[in-house]
Amino acid sequence: MAEPKKKRSQSRKGKHRSHQALSGPTLMLCPSCKSPKASHRVCPTCGMYNGRQAVVITTKKNKKQ
Ligand SMILES: [Zn+2]
């Protein structure tokens, strides 16, 4: 098996890993309810997309009725 020729120092390891951080999802505000949502996705809070009601959001309270 191939082995690394030299030990990678803590400093070099840290420099390498400084670019590995994960970034969170980019969110924008829903134009109708102003809650954060992913762009080009139906709003999970109000179900609106492109100015129309794309999905009817049902909560546990509404399902019982
Ligand atoms: Zn919304």
Side-chain angles (χ1 to χ4, degrees):
M1 275 265 286
E3 291 290 333
K5 212 167 195 177
K6 287 269 197 305
K7 175 181 177 174
R8 178 180 265 182
S9 70
Q10 282 189 351
S11 162
R12 193 166 275 273
K13 183 173 68 180
K15 282 174 193 168
H16 180 78
R17 292 184 181 173
S18 71
H19 303 286
Q20 292 181 353
L22 294 173
S23 62
T26 308
L27 297 175
M28 41 102 58
L29 292 181
C30 173
S32 53
C33 71
K34 313 294 182 215
S35 70
K37 75 171 198 73
S39 60
H40 303 107
R41 295 290 184 276
V42 173
C43 175
T45 312
C46 64
M48 294 287 280
Y49 186 76
N50 202 16
R52 66 186 173 86
Q53 189 75 35
V55 176
V56 179
I57 303 294
T58 52
T59 54
K60 281 185 178 176
K61 248 185 180 178
N62 291 340
K63 275 183 181 176
K64 279 183 181 174
Q65 288 170 349

